[in-house]
Amino acid sequence: MKKLIVANWKMNLPPLAGWKRNWKSKKADVVIAPPFPFISEVGKIIFGGALGAQNAFWKNPPEGDGAYTGEISPRMLRAAGVKYVILGHSERRRILGETDEIINKKILAASAAGLKVILCVGEPLEVRKKGVVAVKSYVGKQISADLRNFKNLWFSKLIIAYEPIWAIGTGRAAKPEDAILISRFIKSLVDSKFKIKNVRLLYGGSVNSQNAKSFLKLKEVDGALIGHASLSASGFSKIIKNI
C-alpha cells in the first residue's frame, strides 16, 4: 500500500501557482485540504492529487441543505469534489470546544456520505509526562468515543492520524519510537474493538522535509498529516520524495 501524505493548510492560503502540477506519485497518495472558500479552485489545479476538507457538519439533510447557518454538509463537500475530510483535529477540540460526541456525529455523517475520514487523536503534554500507559488510556478513550456506532462497511473509509498535541506547531516532533509504539496500540485497539484490520495510520505534529523520512520509513506508519510544512509546494514535494 502506498503511503498517504495529507496537506492541511489550516486557515492559510499559500500562493497557488506552485501547486499547479501533477501530484501523482508511485510512492504516495496525495491529499490537499485547503480552507473551504478555495476548495473548488484548488481542486482544478492539483492534478493527480485528491481534494480534502478540514471539517464537515454532522448532518446530511436529504436535499443537501438545511437551517444550519455557516455549516457545510458532507454531501456538499462531495459535490465540490472532496474525497477526504479531517475531523477531530486538536485545534477544533481545544479552540472550538468540539467534544467526542460532536466528532462522533461528524464521522458517522461523513462516512455515510462516502467521504474518507481522517480522524485526529493525540494527547496533551501533561498526559505525555505521565508516561506511555497514560497516553494509551487517553488516546484509547478518544478513539472509542469518536468511533461509537461506526459501521464495518465503512472501514475502508477510515484513516487515523496520531498527532500528539504537544508536537503540533512546536517544531518538536515525537520520537520515531514513540510513533511506532502508539501506532501499534491504535491499530490493535481498532482491530479488537471495531474489527477493522490494518487501519491506515498517519503521524502528524511538526513533520517537515528534514524529519519526514524518519517517520515515513516506519512500517507501522502509513503516512503523514502535514500542517505548516505543507504551505510550501516545494517543501511538500520534498516530503513525498523522502518516502
Side-chain angles (χ1 to χ4, degrees):
M1 181 184 293
K2 291 182 179 181
K3 298 288 187 179
L4 177 64
I5 310 297
V6 183
N8 176 17
W9 289 356
K10 305 189 180 186
M11 200 175 72
N12 299 289
L13 183 65
L16 295 182
W19 293 87
K20 190 174 182 179
R21 63 173 75 179
N22 191 339
W23 290 96
K24 187 174 182 179
S25 168
K26 294 181 179 179
K27 301 178 179 180
D29 294 321
V30 177
V31 178
I32 299 171
F36 281 141
F38 306 99
I39 282 177
S40 294
E41 186 177 358
V42 171
K44 294 175 182 177
I45 65 172
I46 53 168
F47 310 108
L51 197 57
Q54 299 174 24
N55 186 33
F57 191 46
W58 47 267
K59 270 190 175 292
N60 272 317
E63 302 303 322
D65 54 14
Y68 305 105
T69 300
E71 294 296 342
I72 298 177
S73 75
R75 288 182 183 177
M76 288 180 175
L77 293 176
R78 282 290 305 275
V82 171
K83 294 184 178 179
Y84 294 78
V85 61
I86 300 168
L87 298 174
H89 195 283
S90 63
E91 290 161 1
R92 296 199 62 85
R93 294 178 190 260
R94 175 174 52 87
I95 300 171
L96 297 168
E98 288 193 2
T99 63
D100 287 315
E101 181 180 4
I102 291 173
I103 293 164
N104 174 246
K105 288 181 179 180
K106 290 185 174 188
I107 289 172
L108 300 184
S111 299
L115 290 173
K116 293 184 179 182
V117 171
I118 301 170
L119 168 62
C120 299
V121 298
E123 80 284 356
L125 185 58
E126 59 267 25
V127 172
R128 165 59 63 173
K129 288 181 177 179
K130 294 178 182 178
V132 174
V133 174
V135 172
K136 289 182 176 180
S137 176
Y138 187 93
V139 171
K141 287 178 180 177
Q142 282 185 316
I143 292 173
S144 296
D146 295 342
L147 295 182
R148 186 169 57 86
N149 297 324
F150 189 82
K151 297 180 181 179
N152 285 351
L153 61 91
W154 296 332
F155 80 94
S156 63
K157 296 184 175 70
L158 178 67
I159 300 115
I160 296 180
Y162 170 57
E163 289 198 305
I165 297 172
W166 48 270
I168 298 174
T170 63
R172 182 181 53 173
K175 296 178 181 178
E177 53 265 35
D178 291 334
I180 290 174
L181 191 63
I182 303 304
S183 295
R184 286 175 177 169
F185 165 74
I186 290 174
K187 290 188 177 188
S188 176
L189 173 66
V190 172
D191 183 5
S192 62
K193 194 173 183 70
F194 299 97
K195 309 305 178 187
I196 302 174
K197 294 186 179 296
N198 300 316
V199 67
R200 218 167 184 181
L201 197 292
L202 313 182
Y203 172 75
S206 292
V207 179
N208 53 47
S209 58
Q210 285 73 47
N211 64 18
K213 190 173 184 178
S214 62
F215 294 102
L216 295 175
K217 71 180 181 181
L218 304 174
K219 65 178 182 179
E220 293 85 357
V221 176
D222 303 308
L225 178 56
I226 317 294
H228 180 76
S230 74
L231 298 181
S232 162
S234 59
F236 187 63
S237 181
K238 287 179 181 178
I239 291 173
I240 296 171
K241 291 176 181 177
N242 271 328
I243 300 172

